Amino acid sequence: AQSVTQLDSQVPVFEEAPVELRCNYSSSVSVYLFWYVQYPNQGLQLLLKYLSGSTLVKGINGFEAEFNKSQTSFHLRKPSVHISDTAEYFCAILYGNKLVFGAGTILRVKS
Amino acid sequence: SQTIHQWPATLVQPVGSPLSLECTVEGTSNPNLYWYRQAAGRGLQLLFYSVGIGQISSEVPQNLSASRPQDRQFILSSKKLLLSDSGFYLCAWTARGSSYNEQFFGPGTRLTVL
């Protein structure tokens, strides 16, 4: 069965600093991975996805993630964060026709 | 373009009362539909998913039920709410036959059971 572990429940960071949100997965079959963002009291919005091909995936709002098969990781990165990036971020893996989500990481950007 | 609607946006209900949350999708046909619950401080828990009218799969035993009376309508219900039913309920859809099943989420319903 597929599963996803987000290693940090909260990540505080100062504005304009780089950030990495960690995600590890467990899967015995081909892997499709996703990162979603949720702003307060809103639904989820897709940031980026890995389906195949290049292991470095670029998404919206300046985010990128790298698929690392040997380390079974799909960490999300941004070189310089803004206050507006404060939100909860979810890593997810496709399992059949369902998505399995991690517990989420709250990114708090401080000025 | 496709859009997904949920209502109501917020709801406060007493324990033991019934519940009906509605989700509709526009601009697509034969979608797969999903209900998730997000409790405070927890991730997303898949409650139900549906691949067609009248076809409902339940992921976890619980006090809730789901129905799909029309192709693009998905309803979450309860006969008697519990305090533990409080949370943020999200509906999502994917295109049937999509090779990677990207899910698109609605705006959510905040349910508070008192």
Side-chain angles (χ1 to χ4, degrees):
Chain A
Q2 328 300 64
S3 67
V4 172
T5 302
Q6 291 185 244
L7 299 165
D8 306 295
S9 60
Q10 293 196 37
V11 174
V13 63
F14 284 103
E15 193 173 18
E16 298 184 7
V19 70
E20 178 180 84
L21 306 183
R22 297 181 292 170
C23 172
N24 286 89
Y25 68 90
S26 173
S27 174
S28 58
V29 297
S30 297
V31 174
Y32 295 157
L33 292 159
F34 304 80
W35 274 101
Y36 282 84
V37 60
Q38 184 183 31
Y39 299 101
N41 294 311
Q42 295 186 25
L44 276 68
Q45 179 183 5
L46 182 68
L47 272 179
L48 49 81
K49 56 183 181 278
Y50 172 78
L51 306 178
S52 64
S54 173
T55 57
L56 183 62
V57 180
K58 293 190 182 297
I60 62 171
N61 301 340
F63 284 93
E64 63 181 31
E66 186 163 14
F67 171 65
N68 189 318
K69 188 174 182 179
S70 62
Q71 297 186 8
T72 62
S73 67
F74 191 53
H75 301 333
L76 182 70
R77 302 187 182 99
K78 186 171 183 178
S80 176
V81 295
H82 303 287
I83 293 288
S84 59
D85 292 322
T86 294
E88 188 161 18
Y89 293 79
F90 292 93
C91 183
I93 190 169
L94 186 64
Y95 180 48
N97 60 3
K98 298 176 284 185
L99 280 176
V100 176
F101 286 87
T105 298
I106 296 174
L107 175 63
R108 299 190 191 279
V109 182
K110 302 176 288 185
S111 58
Chain B
S1 65
Q2 301 88 3
T3 55
I4 178 169
H5 304 279
Q6 287 186 244
W7 63 88
T10 60
L11 190 60
V12 180
Q13 292 284 95
V15 169
S17 64
L19 173 73
S20 180
L21 303 182
E22 188 164 343
C23 170
T24 59
V25 182
E26 296 177 356
T28 188
S29 297
N30 303 315
N32 290 341
L33 295 170
Y34 305 82
W35 276 113
Y36 291 88
R37 177 171 57 206
Q38 190 176 19
R42 301 177 64 180
L44 283 83
Q45 181 183 37
L46 179 61
L47 302 176
F48 302 95
Y49 71 96
S50 171
V51 299
I53 295 174
Q55 300 179 61
I56 308 294
S57 296
S58 174
E59 290 295 295
V60 292
Q62 59 203 312
N63 183 43
L64 302 169
S65 62
S67 62
R68 185 168 176 176
Q70 300 179 42
D71 180 49
R72 289 171 290 177
Q73 184 184 33
F74 204 23
I75 296 172
L76 185 69
S77 303
S78 174
K79 292 182 179 178
K80 288 186 178 182
L81 283 168
L82 306 173
L83 287 174
S84 58
D85 292 324
S86 293
F88 193 50
Y89 288 82
L90 290 161
C91 182
W93 73 273
T94 67
R96 186 92 53 85
S98 168
S99 60
Y100 54 81
N101 289 55
E102 175 181 341
Q103 290 193 10
F104 300 92
F105 285 80
T109 295
R110 174 75 60 192
L111 172 65
T112 303
V113 182
L114 302 175

